């Protein structure tokens, strides 16, 4: 089960990152071109939200069945173990919280430009945080 979850978590990460990148680029284009916020824009952001939340759930399950997860939690002197046991989960949870805040804030905003700006900021910060804590050596 661990090997399947690990492969699934890695594979789903590509999809989640792609959806998040598309949402950020769409928000930046919408904000800079001052276009009207449509249902298509909302769906793009929603799919990115769903993709990242699914990735979080897979990651949390993997964390608790993994021999590298909570078992290596106290090993802060080893940079690789610290990344996989503390930094990666913590920073990605913060990133997904930011993405969720962006989604929640957009619902209260009426102005299209402000909606795009909210998505660009919150989803963009989430994307940057996620990219900063990906264990790239395990991907390639």
């Amino acid at each position: 089960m661990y090997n399947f979850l690990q492969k699934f978590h890695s594979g789903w990460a590509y999809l989640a990152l792609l959806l998040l990148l598309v949402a950020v680029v769409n928000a930046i284009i919408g904000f800079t071109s001052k276009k009207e916020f449509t249902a298509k824009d909302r769906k793009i952001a929603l799919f990115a939200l769903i993709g990242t939340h699914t990735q979080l759930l897979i990651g949390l399950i993997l964390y608790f069945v993994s021999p590298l997860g909570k078992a290596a939690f106290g090993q802060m002197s080893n940079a690789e173990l610290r990344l996989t046991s503390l930094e990666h989960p913590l920073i990605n949870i913060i990133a997904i919280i930011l993405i969720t805040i962006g989604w929640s804030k957009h619902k209260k905003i009426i102005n299209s430009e402000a909606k795009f700006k909210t998505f660009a900021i919150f989803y963009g910060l989430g994307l940057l945080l996620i990219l900063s804590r990906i264990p790239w050596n395990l991907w390639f």
Side-chain angles (χ1 to χ4, degrees), residues 97-111:
I97 288 170
L98 286 171
I99 292 166
T100 305
I101 290 170
W103 175 259
S104 296
K105 285 179 74 73
H106 106 278
K107 293 190 276 185
K108 297 177 181 106
I109 300 171
I110 298 169
N111 182 358

Side-chain angles (χ1 to χ4, degrees), residues 52-106:
T52 55
H53 277 82
T54 303
Q55 180 69 354
L56 173 66
L57 290 175
I58 298 165
L60 288 174
I61 294 167
L62 181 63
Y63 185 80
F64 290 106
V65 299
S66 168
L68 298 173
K70 63 180 181 171
F73 193 71
Q75 313 234 350
M76 296 299 114
S77 60
N78 184 330
E80 192 169 310
L81 286 176
R82 185 178 63 240
L83 175 66
T84 56
S85 68
L86 177 68
E87 294 172 359
H88 178 74
L90 180 63
I91 297 299
N92 287 334
I93 289 170
I94 293 169
I96 293 171
I97 288 170
L98 286 171
I99 292 166
T100 305
I101 290 170
W103 175 259
S104 296
K105 285 179 74 73
H106 106 278

Side-chain angles (χ1 to χ4, degrees), residues 13-33:
Y14 289 108
L15 178 63
L17 283 172
L18 178 65
L19 291 169
L20 191 54
L21 181 65
V22 168
V24 169
V25 169
N26 182 61
I28 292 170
I29 290 170
F31 177 70
T32 57
S33 67

